[in-house]
Amino acid sequence: MDLVPALEEPLKQSLKSVLGPATAKVMAEHLGLHTVGDLLHHYPRRYEERGQLTHLADLPMDEHVTVVAQVADARLHSFASAKAPRGKGQRLEVTITDGSGRLQLVFFGNGVHKPHKELLPGTRAMFAGKVSVFNRRLQLAHPAYELLRSDGEEAVESWAGALIPLYPATAKLESWKIGKAVQTVLPTAQEAVDPLPPSLREGRGLLPLPEALLKIHRPHTKADIAAARDRLKWDEAFVLQVALARRRHADAQLPAVPRTPGPDGLLSAFDDRLPFTLTEGQQKVSREIFDDLATEHPMHRLLQGEVGSGKTMVALRAMLAVVDAGGQAAMLAPTEVLAQQHHRSVTEMMGELAEGGMLGGAEHATKVVLLTGSMGAAARRQALLDLVTGEAGIVIGTHALIEDKVQFHDLGLVVVDEQHRFGVEQRDALRGKGKQPPHLLVMTATPIPRTVAMTVFGDLETSVLDQLPAGRSPIASHVVPAADKPHFLARAWERVREEVANGHQAYVVCPRIGDDADEAVDARKAGGKKSPEDEAEKRPPLAVLEVADQLGRGPLQGLRVEVLHGRMHPDDKDAVMRRFAAGETDVLVATTVIEVGVNVPNATVMVIMDADRFGVSQLHQLRGRVGRGSAPGLCLLVTEMPEASPARQRLGAVASTLDGFELSRIDLEQRREGDVLGQAQSGARSSLRVLAVIEDEEVIAEARQEATALVAADPELERLPGLRTALDALLDDEREQYLEKG
């Protein structure tokens, strides 16, 4: 992170004499480590204690492991084989123990001579390899090993201290080789420039950076490790929060046109025709947004809320306020189905207020236009004309809105729906269409834990809608274990028939569309069946076209079943959705195209096939499509995964709570933070090595406060060269752009 010349030296040079250029190449290709500084920030994952052996009893299958153990027994066997027909083949079997269990190591052929001499009973060593099973016993075949001698210079050097660091390694590079490389470059840690201001470091009793690096790589006690981790967590949290604070500070300097709605304009007319009262949450969030819109700097706000909490209503009122103030508002949706759905619901909610310039349009009306890639040329030309003349106050569209041809009369507000589906560049391109930077409102229906919001969207102010509007019904969710209890699945289809008999409708969701191309791929992947869990994993995911066919001829025979998926022509998709919304279809078998924005209050039951193939947040999103009316909703999560599997536990968590914030925490704890910083969009490795976003909530909150105060006092960080260097390292060009545009 804190790269200064000594720490910028390429590993190729610094490790030449110790481990050679091949090791440096593996480090660069497999671990993303290029410089001495990178290696110093490659921290041990855990530590082995000299006096305490790893639990061999807990070894995971098929994983690359490092264990510390003692040789109990070593035997050399001869055998005959195709390569050694006269019984001259040799196999060395070594049994190692750690008190909790035993493990067999096997070496073959010429590879037996060295271990046969070295691995004598009583010898202690570190062993690394991939755990496999042979004759129902766990074994490591041809493991790499490093003897742990308790005497001699080398041992003192390599394994100094009572704790042996185990590094995140790869099959091509064992942990102890990384350890040796780290020991070689560790003296340069003295030259690391500290990014933390001295007052902050001393005020919080944190170690200086060189000392923290020394203690994390070569600890003598557990207290050393704890002190080093505390310090290094602060580095990560603070440098990141400074980057975000500078972003917020820079945004606050930009000019924007204040947009304040008139007292008796479009917004008042709209509010007057609403058949219901806004929830307290909606009113509070609307006030926050209107306050932002009235300032002379662009609003940057994240609006997050539970599925069905009424985000669209809040966003629409913000758009109407901007139109009232003479500007235009654009809403960007991730798919055509969703753009059409939004356009339909906005025009329905607005009624004659959406008929500006038309006969029958109300006094304050404006025009609401739709712009998608599949529109006919004439309709598209008219929409573009309405935008450039300012006739259309509101435009709803897909990324077709971003094309160069699209020009606005006066773009005042951009609303981005479903943040996680939009590339940073796309949002930036739309923001560039205003004469001055427009206000920005980002909506997400995947609730984000507060700390993640502070870390990922730290440059956005956050508004949360956590109440459901009146009239919303609870959703009951259940896991249906199809493999263990087939009669549960039969009962699920009966429930669907019962709902339809009561005048309601159902969704059946599948992970795949089902055409030959993706089946061929899946068939290739499905070779060699193993455990029930593997079989459930290896089987191709269930597909819409097959499932619809089977249901129509089997358990749902006689019901009106239709399919919906992303490869259909947009007009066909729209027609299917219209029929379903009108109640002309009983069961819609679909892919996740229905995940967001589809609103059919009469749909009360959803069956999600192969539910284990979806993420936690996605399941929560899908489930939010039912229970949107006055009748209670039911969501059935069908899976073939065995009861003890992590996938089943994940589904159990989804079934047990409707709290999206709680689920997003579970999701994050399971996935860890690898993708927290938008790596999916920036292609960079996660810069979070010791900071855990969920566990280190306090550190992040405190770092944010410190960073905000520091940037307010010294935006260019002129008095803190060490911090500037650390920022440059964190924000390589790509990630700088990611934050720039976020």
Side-chain angles (χ1 to χ4, degrees):
M1 224 186 218
D2 327 286
L3 306 178
V4 292
L7 275 69
E8 277 174 6
E9 188 186 1
L11 288 172
K12 275 196 294 244
Q13 286 159 359
S14 55
L15 298 180
K16 201 182 289 175
S17 56
V18 197
L19 295 169
T23 304
K25 189 168 181 241
V26 172
M27 284 185 171
E29 286 174 7
H30 293 272
L31 295 168
L33 306 175
H34 302 278
T35 64
V36 170
D38 289 343
L39 182 56
L40 286 175
H41 287 292
H42 186 71
Y43 308 132
R45 184 172 52 202
R46 58 193 176 88
Y47 301 85
E48 278 301 346
E49 292 181 64
R50 274 295 162 80
Q52 177 206 353
L53 294 165
T54 322
H55 288 301
L56 292 181
D58 304 335
L59 286 181
M61 273 299 297
D62 281 345
E63 273 194 32
H64 205 271
V65 297
T66 303
V67 295
V68 178
Q70 190 161 355
V71 176
D73 182 36
R75 293 180 188 194
L76 193 59
H77 301 274
S78 299
F79 61 91
S81 70
K83 285 186 180 172
R86 288 198 294 277
K88 291 197 174 168
Q90 288 193 307
R91 180 174 78 246
L92 175 66
E93 291 179 1
V94 178
T95 306
I96 58 173
T97 177
D98 68 349
S100 78
R102 294 165 87 82
L103 179 66
Q104 191 158 36
L105 316 177
V106 287
F107 301 88
F108 292 100
N110 295 334
V112 304
H113 306 307
K114 187 167 176 269
H116 189 217
K117 281 204 297 254
E118 293 182 335
L119 297 179
L120 304 171
T123 309
R124 286 168 54 75
M126 292 175 79
F127 301 92
K130 196 171 183 184
V131 182
S132 57
V133 170
F134 181 71
N135 277 347
R136 296 197 181 169
R137 289 166 65 189
L138 293 181
Q139 70 166 26
L140 294 181
H142 281 286
Y145 64 88
E146 180 89 357
L147 301 179
L148 295 177
R149 301 187 180 86
S150 54
D151 53 283
E153 268 311 292
E154 187 204 357
V156 176
E157 264 312 298
S158 303
W159 312 112
L163 294 156
I164 302 165
L166 294 185
Y167 289 89
T170 73
K172 289 191 164 31
L173 192 62
E174 294 88 12
S175 165
W176 58 81
K177 283 194 181 159
I178 297 172
K180 273 186 176 166
V182 170
Q183 297 300 342
T184 307
V185 301
L186 203 50
T188 52
Q190 294 306 328
E191 299 179 46
V193 177
D194 205 321
L196 295 189
S199 58
L200 188 155
R201 198 183 72 234
E202 287 152 19
R204 293 185 176 274
L206 298 168
L207 298 179
L209 182 60
E211 192 182 334
L213 289 172
L214 208 60
K215 283 188 168 168
I216 198 139
H217 290 297
R218 205 184 248 179
H220 291 287
T221 62
K222 288 185 174 174
D224 284 354
I225 300 169
R229 289 180 70 88
D230 284 349
R231 160 62 218 239
L232 296 166
K233 276 180 183 183
W234 256 94
D235 274 21
E236 290 181 5
F238 183 70
V239 174
L240 178 61
Q241 291 301 340
V242 167
L244 292 166
R246 291 184 73 194
R247 188 70 245 122
R248 286 195 301 277
H249 186 270
D251 280 339
Q253 313 307 310
L254 290 174
V257 180
R259 309 280 180 176
T260 314
D264 296 315
L266 181 57
L267 181 61
S268 310
F270 175 76
D271 284 349
D272 290 345
R273 44 172 293 136
L274 278 182
F276 52 82
T277 328
L278 297 176
T279 64
E280 270 174 54
Q282 285 174 316
Q283 290 173 9
K284 175 176 144 288
V285 169
S286 288
R287 279 196 299 278
E288 291 170 352
I289 291 172
F290 290 159
D291 288 349
D292 280 0
L293 290 174
T295 63
E296 294 181 353
H297 304 293
M299 163 172 84
H300 283 103
R301 194 167 275 282
L302 174 70
L303 170 58
Q304 54 166 324
E306 281 291 8
V307 177
S309 57
K311 291 182 300 296
T312 312
M313 171 60 71
V314 169
L316 175 56
R317 292 184 74 243
M319 294 197 288
L320 294 174
V322 168
V323 175
D324 240 359
Q328 289 170 293
M331 183 186 240
L332 201 52
T335 63
E336 294 214 352
V337 167
L338 199 48
Q340 288 162 342
Q341 184 93 23
H342 275 316
H343 181 255
R344 198 153 52 237
S345 61
V346 163
T347 46
E348 278 167 15
M349 284 195 275
M350 287 176 66
E352 71 267 23
L353 294 173
E355 294 169 4
M358 297 183 232
L359 280 172
E363 180 194 349
H364 300 291
T366 186
K367 215 172 189 184
V368 179
V369 301
L370 176 68
L371 190 62
T372 64
S374 65
M375 284 169 75
R380 189 182 175 79
R381 247 194 327 272
Q382 184 60 52
L384 291 173
L385 188 65
D386 287 342
L387 287 181
V388 77
T389 59
E391 184 83 9
I394 294 177
V395 57
I396 295 167
T398 54
H399 38 263
L401 279 177
I402 297 164
E403 292 168 14
D404 292 342
K405 290 193 215 89
V406 180
Q407 291 182 334
F408 290 86
H409 177 65
D410 179 13
L411 181 61
L413 171 67
V414 174
V415 178
V416 179
D417 186 22
E418 285 306 314
Q419 148 78 22
H420 60 288
R421 297 173 174 232
F422 263 104
V424 165
E425 290 74 20
Q426 295 166 310
R427 293 202 299 274
D428 200 45
L430 190 51
R431 267 160 62 175
K433 290 188 177 289
K435 294 190 174 64
Q436 280 192 328
H439 299 283
L440 175 70
L441 180 65
V442 171
M443 299 200 296
T444 174
T446 308
I448 303 164
R450 173 172 159 267
T451 38
V452 184
M454 282 189 332
T455 309
V456 187
F457 302 109
D459 55 339
L460 298 174
E461 296 301 323
T462 306
S463 294
V464 177
L465 277 174
D466 46 15
Q467 281 175 291
L468 290 185
R472 271 310 175 85
S473 305
I475 304 170
S477 305
H478 302 284
V479 178
V480 177
D484 312 352
K485 300 180 178 166
H487 59 286
F488 275 39
L489 183 58
R491 176 71 189 118
W493 301 127
E494 281 172 23
R495 284 291 292 117
V496 170
R497 294 193 79 98
E498 286 164 16
E499 287 297 313
V500 172
N502 288 332
H504 297 303
Q505 292 160 280
Y507 295 102
V508 176
V509 180
C510 306
R512 209 165 52 102
I513 296 171
D515 44 28
D516 303 323
D518 40 43
E519 275 157 36
V521 172
D522 284 314
R524 283 202 300 278
K525 284 183 188 164
K529 301 271 189 276
K530 290 174 189 150
S531 66
E533 191 155 346
D534 279 345
E535 293 198 12
E537 269 292 335
K538 292 270 166 61
R539 170 180 62 64
L542 291 170
V544 165
L545 302 176
E546 296 150 20
V547 169
D549 184 48
Q550 287 163 8
L551 291 176
R553 286 186 289 130
L556 302 185
Q557 198 170 3
L559 301 187
R560 297 169 297 178
V561 178
E562 287 211 54
V563 299
L564 178 71
H565 58 74
R567 292 207 200 123
M568 291 164 64
H569 187 278
D571 291 347
D572 296 339
K573 281 194 281 200
D574 204 37
V576 169
M577 271 318 301
R578 277 177 189 277
R579 285 197 292 276
F580 189 64
E584 293 162 20
T585 306
D586 299 320
V587 180
L588 187 61
V589 183
T591 56
T592 54
V593 290
I594 60 151
E595 179 185 348
V596 285
V598 173
N599 186 14
V600 179
N602 191 43
T604 54
V605 59
M606 174 177 287
V607 182
I608 302 180
M609 307 302 290
D610 279 343
D612 47 89
R613 311 269 177 138
F614 298 96
V616 169
S617 298
Q618 204 174 22
L619 291 169
H620 182 58
Q621 280 274 48
L622 285 165
R623 165 172 72 182
R625 301 297 114 214
V626 294
R628 299 177 79 86
S630 51
L634 174 65
C635 177
L636 301 172
L637 306 167
V638 179
T639 178
E640 291 188 359
M641 282 298 184
E643 194 161 1
S645 63
R648 273 284 281 279
Q649 289 163 358
R650 205 171 66 228
L651 295 179
V654 174
S656 67
T657 177
L658 288 173
D659 181 342
F661 287 90
E662 181 52 35
L663 286 175
S664 64
R665 284 180 83 98
I666 293 168
D667 198 17
L668 192 75
E669 277 162 2
Q670 287 192 336
R671 288 183 302 137
R672 304 301 299 158
E673 290 79 24
D675 45 6
V676 148
L677 269 191
Q679 277 71 251
Q681 296 192 42
S682 80
R685 276 185 322 133
S686 168
S687 60
L688 303 186
R689 294 180 178 84
V690 282
L691 191 72
V693 171
I694 293 286
E695 289 153 36
D696 297 317
E697 206 151 344
E698 281 172 32
V699 175
I700 291 169
E702 289 170 20
R704 181 178 169 116
Q705 276 180 332
E706 295 269 10
T708 307
L710 180 117
V711 169
D714 179 11
E716 294 306 311
L717 311 179
E718 282 162 4
R719 298 190 287 282
L720 295 164
L723 179 54
R724 286 235 300 282
T725 313
L727 267 181
D728 293 341
L730 170 76
L731 303 177
D732 51 33
D733 291 345
E734 285 184 288
R735 199 182 272 120
E736 175 74 84
Q737 285 173 350
Y738 174 76
L739 287 172
E740 279 277 323
K741 294 171 180 172

